[in-house]
Amino acid sequence: MKRTLLATALALAALASQAQITEQPEGELKTYVRQGTTYENFWGFWESKQDGLTTHLVYAADGKTVYWENPVTYYTNSSKQEAWIEGELSADRKKITFPAGQTLYVKTSKKTSVKYQLYYLHNVVLDEDGYYYESFAVDKETPITLAVDGNTLSLEGTTGDLSAIIGVVTDDDEPSWTYYGDAQTVLSLFDQQPVTAPKDLTTETYTLHYGSGSQKVVNVGVSGSDLYIQGIYTSLPDAWLKGTLDGNTLTVSSGQYFGQDPEAGALLYWVGAHRDSVYNAKWDDYDYTYEYLDKITFTYDAETGTYASDEVLLANGGEKDINRYATYIAPSLVPFKEIAGVPVDPEITDFSLPEDDDEDGSITFYIYAKDADGNDLNASKLYYRIYTGDDQLYTFTTALYEKLEEDAYEFRYDFTDDWDFSANTTTGKHKIYFYEEAERIGVQVIYRGGGEEHASNIVYTDGTKTATGIQSVAVRTVADELFDLQGRRIQSARPGQFVIRRSVSADGAVNTSKILK
């Protein structure tokens, strides 16, 4: 017996000393959905935010070796490096054991090389608000174990009060916790497929209204008693939501899986909820609470063709527990009729010039998918331009904006480079970092819909007040051609492509411009 125990201990010690594993090992890959509590370093506090996120396990061909991908929820997301740890499935297949101290990441410089390793942490003490830790102890001996119950794996040795967790620490003589850790993790095998619509479904264009003036254009189709909606969640524009029609009532059931968020990695479900406001004495303000509903209903108005609900539709991380990724309050569907409207003026909310080499300037503004009369516009046909000085159109150059492929002065409503340009298509909020001096800066919105092109006023700000520049213009376009940068005519452009647009108006005037689609 002693020889067996010694052999096992030596094998585990040898395994723990192996180098980090940064590529998916060979074997059968299985996807699991997480539940449990995690500490996210960026925000600096504990939240039950494992729910709906995924991880993978690989089961090797030898029937006993198992690899676990990114065992601590947010750590590898921040380092952008895939990490696997290696363990062993017990003979009775009821436990997977991973030796302590396995390396998740190695940070190297000219002078140092620091390993980030996985251990149990005990006696973890957080401050009174549950934020940053005050003390902890590293357990360098106890292996990390998952209990196996069919298709469910449960992390052992952690506690609900967070005094015992698995955490990422450095390999210093006095280990330092990185603030990343998980507790009470439960992994459930995932094999669901997203909602799909019939291949022959015919759709019509609607506007989805929600919240305080938010909206977006979506596709709606009916097949028998089923109604399908596409285009609700911005990051998954092809995803569908399914509802059931019964007379003047549309019922949407909760728990419909529609895809995995491309950024956060969460498994997303459509979930209905009821929202209430609750007074928070600590902050002397009101918080909103969301109560899970197994369904929400929309009432159909035959006169307007509108579907409307008083409840809340959530794009939710996880099937049931509320973990909101997008919130659609009191959603309604209104038939969209494209018009050649003049877009409402943009609203500038913040502007600052670059003061020195260490502080960049920026402009924040809102674009609304409405015309000046309050009619809905198709946001996918909205563009904007920036002006400086006396109505001087500003060109963004690749010399200053390195993520741009070409110099450009006009951008799509939803354009973002995840660095200098950001766009929230839910709220209409845009932010651009600005690196050159300017006494004032202006924003103008362009709408190309209904066979015509219209522009808003140019709205200016100097950082203290706003003013209106050139009045809106209307141009009836009778010919509109697109060319690629090599001069070849094309039928349409893909998102993010620079093209040459040649427009001929009714009076024969020709306008040629380079734009980013």
Side-chain angles (χ1 to χ4, degrees):
M1 180 66 70
K2 290 182 179 179
R3 290 172 57 112
T4 303
L5 290 175
L6 178 60
T8 301
L10 290 173
L12 291 176
L15 187 57
S17 67
Q18 291 179 0
Q20 66 181 129
I21 305 172
T22 59
E23 296 183 359
Q24 180 182 319
E26 293 185 1
E28 182 184 6
L29 180 72
K30 293 185 178 182
T31 301
Y32 291 83
V33 59
R34 294 178 179 269
Q35 284 184 302
T37 305
T38 188
Y39 189 94
E40 185 179 0
N41 183 35
F42 181 78
W43 293 107
F45 55 88
W46 289 93
E47 287 192 356
S48 296
K49 295 186 71 172
Q50 285 196 57
D51 298 358
L53 300 177
T54 59
T55 186
H56 297 91
L57 270 72
V58 167
Y59 295 82
D62 62 11
K64 62 180 182 179
T65 305
V66 181
Y67 302 91
W68 184 5
E69 177 198 36
N70 303 346
V72 175
T73 306
Y74 283 105
Y75 173 72
T76 45
N77 285 351
S78 67
S79 66
K80 302 298 183 184
Q81 170 137 12
E82 185 177 12
W84 296 80
I85 60 173
E86 182 178 342
E88 184 174 313
L89 180 64
S90 62
D92 60 8
R93 309 186 71 82
K94 292 186 177 181
K95 184 173 291 190
I96 307 174
T97 302
F98 301 90
Q102 294 195 55
T103 301
L104 299 178
Y105 177 62
V106 179
K107 184 178 181 180
T108 58
S109 66
K110 293 181 179 179
K111 296 182 178 180
T112 63
S113 177
V114 179
K115 292 182 180 179
Y116 291 80
Q117 298 171 299
L118 184 63
Y119 293 104
Y120 278 114
L121 304 186
H122 296 295
N123 303 320
V124 178
V125 178
L126 304 175
D127 68 18
E128 60 182 6
D129 293 321
Y131 288 84
Y132 297 103
Y133 73 87
E134 295 183 350
S135 63
F136 66 95
V138 177
D139 179 355
K140 290 194 171 184
E141 303 299 328
T142 305
I144 293 158
T145 57
L146 294 175
V148 181
D149 183 6
N151 290 325
T152 301
L153 311 176
S154 302
L155 177 65
E156 297 184 321
T158 60
T159 59
D161 64 4
L162 308 179
S163 61
I165 64 172
I166 58 170
V168 182
V169 301
T170 65
D171 63 347
D172 301 330
D173 292 337
E174 295 184 2
S176 175
W177 181 27
T178 61
Y179 297 173
Y180 291 97
D182 286 353
Q184 295 191 307
T185 302
V186 176
L187 308 178
S188 302
L189 187 66
F190 182 79
D191 58 2
Q192 297 182 45
Q193 297 299 314
V195 179
T196 58
K199 292 182 178 180
D200 59 351
L201 184 70
T202 300
T203 62
E204 297 180 0
T205 305
Y206 278 68
T207 302
L208 175 68
H209 293 264
Y210 55 98
S212 300
S214 297
Q215 66 185 67
K216 60 175 54 186
V217 175
V218 297
N219 299 317
V220 176
V222 176
S223 177
S225 62
D226 295 326
L227 182 143
Y228 297 86
I229 309 170
Q230 183 188 54
I232 300 176
Y233 190 69
T234 301
S235 298
L236 295 172
D238 296 329
W240 292 94
L241 167 68
K242 178 182 177 182
T244 302
L245 294 166
D246 184 5
N248 289 332
T249 300
L250 170 66
T251 302
V252 174
S253 298
S254 293
Q256 300 181 46
Y257 171 63
F258 67 92
Q260 189 168 9
D261 185 277
E263 292 295 328
L267 299 174
L268 297 176
Y269 295 78
W270 298 118
V271 166
H274 177 73
R275 189 175 82 147
D276 274 325
S277 60
V278 177
Y279 180 69
N280 186 326
K282 180 178 180 180
W283 302 107
D284 190 25
D285 201 354
Y286 285 86
D287 296 329
Y288 287 105
T289 62
Y290 292 83
E291 176 188 355
Y292 173 87
L293 300 174
D294 60 4
K295 63 182 179 182
I296 60 172
T297 58
F298 294 72
T299 301
Y300 177 66
D301 185 333
E303 183 175 343
T304 61
T306 299
Y307 299 87
S309 175
D310 294 329
E311 300 293 359
V312 179
L313 177 69
L314 302 178
N316 195 66
E319 194 167 359
K320 190 168 183 178
D321 295 335
I322 300 297
N323 188 13
R324 296 177 294 127
Y325 278 74
T327 305
Y328 308 94
I329 301 167
S332 64
L333 291 165
V334 180
F336 178 81
K337 182 178 180 181
E338 186 167 87
I339 60 173
V342 177
V344 68
D345 289 349
E347 177 186 359
I348 301 175
T349 58
D350 184 69
F351 172 59
S352 62
L353 287 172
E355 295 183 0
D356 51 48
D357 293 338
D358 297 325
E359 187 171 345
D360 300 327
S362 66
I363 181 171
T364 301
F365 55 93
Y366 284 78
I367 297 175
Y368 303 105
K370 293 281 188 180
D371 72 1
D373 297 321
N375 299 307
D376 294 339
L377 300 179
N378 187 340
S380 68
K381 297 184 179 182
L382 285 172
Y383 301 80
Y384 66 86
R385 297 172 176 174
I386 302 297
Y387 292 80
T388 58
D390 297 325
D391 302 327
Q392 297 297 310
L393 183 61
Y394 184 80
T395 298
F396 292 83
T397 65
T398 56
L400 290 177
Y401 296 87
E402 296 179 356
K403 290 199 172 186
L404 292 181
E405 295 180 358
E406 300 278 350
D407 295 352
Y409 64 83
E410 184 176 292
F411 299 89
R412 281 173 55 104
Y413 168 82
D414 60 354
F415 174 71
T416 176
D417 66 355
D418 296 319
W419 190 252
D420 291 310
F421 296 78
S422 65
N424 185 325
T425 56
T426 297
T427 63
K429 180 179 180 179
H430 293 69
K431 184 173 183 178
I432 302 174
Y433 284 95
F434 211 71
Y435 303 113
E436 294 188 301
E437 294 291 334
E439 293 183 0
R440 64 175 187 164
I441 193 166
V443 183
Q444 182 183 45
V445 181
I446 313 296
Y447 183 63
R448 300 186 177 101
E452 299 180 11
E453 176 179 306
H454 294 272
S456 74
N457 298 306
I458 304 175
V459 177
Y460 280 99
T461 183
D462 62 3
T464 60
K465 60 183 179 179
T466 59
T468 301
I470 293 177
Q471 296 296 309
S472 60
V473 297
V475 179
R476 184 166 66 86
T477 301
V478 296
D480 196 7
E481 300 174 324
L482 295 179
F483 300 84
D484 65 16
L485 296 183
Q486 286 71 47
R488 296 170 296 198
R489 185 173 180 176
I490 57 177
Q491 294 297 318
S492 61
R494 63 183 184 274
Q497 180 183 8
F498 283 91
V499 297
I500 304 298
R501 183 173 61 84
R502 179 179 181 272
S503 300
V504 182
S505 60
D507 61 5
V510 178
N511 179 51
T512 302
S513 58
K514 181 188 292 186
I515 61 174
L516 180 66
K517 298 294 284 185

